[in-house]
Amino acid sequence: MYKTVHGLVLREVKFKEADKMLTVLTQEEGKLSVRARGALRKSCRFAAASQQFAYSEMTLFLNRGRYYLEEASVVEDFRGLRDKFEALALAAYFAELLEAVSDEDSPDPELLRLGLNALFALSHEMFTEKQIKAAFELRVMCISGYAPALDYCAGCGKTENFRPVFSIGSGELFCSDCGEKAADGGLCIGAQTLAAMRYITGADPKRAFSFKLDEKDLRELGRVCQRYALRQLDRGFGALDYYEKLN
């Protein structure tokens, strides 16, 4: 049985002498494990389409519950990522995050679209790496069912004129008077950081990275979004560790 899908290669692993096992996030079928036979041979017609970060139209053959790559043509290869180690490492972290929150046989076009938008912005240097990373982490959490509650204080219901305290454990917002109720003690954040978080969670998908913060607030936003993502998923990421070493 043949299927045509549009997918982003999140991971590639050498298999046997000349094959690859691919983890592909597809628009139509969700996350799939795909064997690309002969992908490591120079003569392979779909070698480029089986590389990590390639977004391609793929023809798959399903046999006994396993997918095999038969044909593929690259739609976008995000070539700019390969010009800078930091950008490539950050893209690898994005891929690991997408793999962690996606499910097999469960299509999530919004998640795929976010991944493609983030890689495009990163490869074309549309925004700083810090800005793209923070927005991506927070938006991934929202799509995956971990959207933080940022509209009012979870303790007293106050909506404005308070020093915000954000709980990375519960994803709730508290005022300074109710801060002791926050899980993990809470993180005191600035008003501009909170405004950016509210923007990211509610913006149109194409504009989620389009906000302005000074360097101090951007560093704070980055710390909050990263800690929140890692806490909610209860795991670390090797590519993130490598990216942080580079920086």
Side-chain angles (χ1 to χ4, degrees):
M1 178 175 144
Y2 289 91
K3 289 185 178 181
T4 298
V5 300
H6 296 78
L8 174 66
V9 179
L10 301 180
R11 182 158 54 100
E12 55 174 308
V13 178
K14 182 179 178 180
F15 184 72
K16 294 188 176 181
E17 183 177 346
D19 298 357
K20 287 182 183 179
M21 290 302 300
L22 309 178
T23 301
V24 185
L25 183 60
T26 71
Q27 179 178 327
E28 297 83 359
E29 302 291 335
K31 182 171 63 179
L32 297 177
S33 179
V34 178
R35 181 174 174 178
R37 290 178 290 195
L40 293 173
R41 295 194 178 100
K42 293 182 180 180
S43 60
C44 180
R45 62 189 180 277
F46 50 70
S50 63
Q51 292 182 344
Q52 188 181 31
F53 311 128
Y55 177 61
S56 306
E57 181 177 85
M58 301 177 171
T59 298
L60 307 179
F61 178 64
L62 179 61
N63 182 32
R64 297 181 180 179
R66 292 186 177 183
Y67 285 100
Y68 297 85
L69 184 60
E70 294 292 315
E71 298 283 347
S73 59
V74 177
V75 177
E76 175 63 64
D77 61 3
F78 306 106
R79 189 165 300 178
L81 295 174
R82 292 165 174 80
D83 296 333
K84 188 178 179 184
F85 283 125
E86 290 87 349
L88 193 61
L90 185 55
Y93 169 50
F94 290 172
E96 287 187 359
L97 254 179
L98 289 171
E99 185 175 358
V101 301
S102 55
D103 296 317
E104 295 185 5
D105 302 320
S106 180
D108 193 338
E110 186 179 3
L111 187 63
L112 175 60
R113 183 167 59 248
L114 173 64
L116 295 175
N117 289 344
L119 294 178
F120 185 86
L122 190 59
S123 64
H124 288 80
E125 299 182 333
M126 296 175 64
F127 310 98
T128 66
E129 290 178 8
K130 290 179 182 178
Q131 189 161 333
I132 297 170
K133 175 178 175 292
F136 179 80
E137 288 169 326
L138 188 54
R139 195 77 176 206
V140 162
M141 290 297 95
C142 292
I143 295 173
S144 305
Y146 301 99
L150 303 173
D151 293 334
Y152 53 85
C153 172
C156 65
K158 190 182 297 184
T159 59
E160 57 185 14
N161 298 324
F162 62 86
R163 172 69 173 171
V165 177
F166 179 67
S167 169
I168 62 169
S170 67
E172 295 174 306
L173 190 69
F174 295 87
C175 67
S176 55
D177 293 334
C178 300
E180 70 277 0
K181 299 178 183 179
D184 308 303
L187 300 174
C188 292
I189 60 175
Q192 294 304 310
T193 299
L194 175 58
M197 293 175 70
R198 286 172 170 170
Y199 174 82
I200 293 167
T201 57
D204 179 271
K206 292 183 178 180
R207 298 188 59 81
F209 307 104
S210 302
F211 58 91
K212 292 184 179 181
L213 282 179
D214 62 29
E215 185 63 24
K216 179 183 177 182
D217 290 330
L218 187 56
R219 286 198 302 270
E220 181 177 73
L221 176 69
R223 288 193 297 270
V224 172
C225 293
Q226 179 176 309
R227 288 187 62 181
Y228 183 61
L230 298 184
R231 176 58 187 274
Q232 296 305 310
L233 297 177
D234 193 25
R235 57 163 294 179
F237 295 90
L240 175 60
D241 295 338
Y242 180 63
Y243 175 72
E244 291 183 329
K245 287 180 181 178
L246 292 177
N247 285 273

